[in-house]
Amino acid sequence: KAGVTQTPRYLIKTRGQQVTLSCSPISGHRSVSWYQQTPGQGLQFLFEYFSETQRNKGNFPGRFSGRQFSNSRSEMNVSTLELGDSALYLCASSLQGYQPQHFGDGTRLSIL
Amino acid sequence: DAKTTQPTSMDCAEGRAANLPCNHSTISGNEYVYWYRQIHSQGPQYIIHGLKNNETNEMASLIITEDRKSSTLILPHATLRDTAVYYCIVPVPLQAGTALIFGKGTTLSVSS
C-alpha cells in the first residue's frame, strides 16, 4: 500500500511570494492533517480536512490555508511568504481523523 | 490536555533492548498513548499505541502502568537504524477528531 506522498520535496521562494504544497493520502484515508516543523517551535498542528471540509484549525495566521478534493488529496497554500515560514511542512492522513496518523516525508520550504 | 514528559536523550548498545519512559500523569480514562519516531530528514513514523493493556507489534512493545500515569516503549533488539527522536503523545481532542501535539521527545542514540 503506497504511503503518504508530498510534492515537491524541496522548494525555494522569496519573501512576498505565495506557495502551494500538495499531499496525496494513503488510499482510503479521508482525513488529512498538516503540520509545520521548525527547529525553534518543533512540530505544530496547522489544520485538518475531512470530506473536503476544514474540521479543525491550529493557531496560525490566515495566510495559511488549505483545501481538500473529492479524492481526499489536499493542498496547502501560504500567501505573502515571510522568512519565518521556512520550515518542513508535513502532511498526515488517517481513516477518520482519529489516530493513528501516517506522515509523509514533507516539503522543505526555504524562504530567501 | 494531558501533557507528557520524556527524558531528553538516551543511549543504547546495538542488540540490546531500548526502554524509553514517558510520564503522562494527567491522562484521562479514555485517552490513548501514542508513540511516534522521527529519523532525520523524514516524517514522523507511527510505532504503536495503547489504552491500558500492554501492546506489541512488529516494531515494539508498549507497557502501560496500571494507574496509566506512565508508559514505556520497548525496542527489543535495537539497531543503528533505530537512532531517532521518539515522541510519546496523548492526542488532543478537537471539535472533531484529534490532533497530535509533539513535545521535544527523546533522542535515542544506538551505537555499535
Side-chain angles (χ1 to χ4, degrees), chain A residues 1-72:
Chain A
K1 202 173 193 182
V4 177
T5 303
Q6 292 188 246
T7 56
R9 288 296 313 276
Y10 302 93
L11 205 50
I12 300 175
K13 292 286 187 179
T14 58
R15 282 184 300 172
Q17 287 187 311
Q18 67 133 20
V19 67
T20 300
L21 312 181
S22 180
C23 172
S24 294
I26 292 173
S27 177
H29 284 191
R30 296 170 62 191
S31 168
V32 173
S33 297
W34 288 88
Y35 294 81
Q36 181 196 64
Q37 185 172 28
T38 59
Q41 298 297 321
L43 262 152
Q44 298 186 87
F45 172 72
L46 277 156
F47 33 63
E48 183 239 358
Y49 284 86
F50 182 84
S51 292
E52 302 179 65
T53 301
Q54 186 183 89
R55 275 200 314 192
N56 297 295
K57 190 176 188 306
N59 189 26
F60 277 81
R63 300 185 298 107
F64 292 82
S65 63
R67 60 176 175 169
Q68 187 180 33
F69 302 95
S70 58
N71 61 358
S72 293

Side-chain angles (χ1 to χ4, degrees), chain B residues 18-34:
Chain B
N19 297 282
L20 292 88
C22 178
N23 287 319
H24 33 79
S25 59
T26 60
I27 195 170
S28 64
N30 62 348
E31 291 181 315
Y32 284 78
V33 179
Y34 281 77

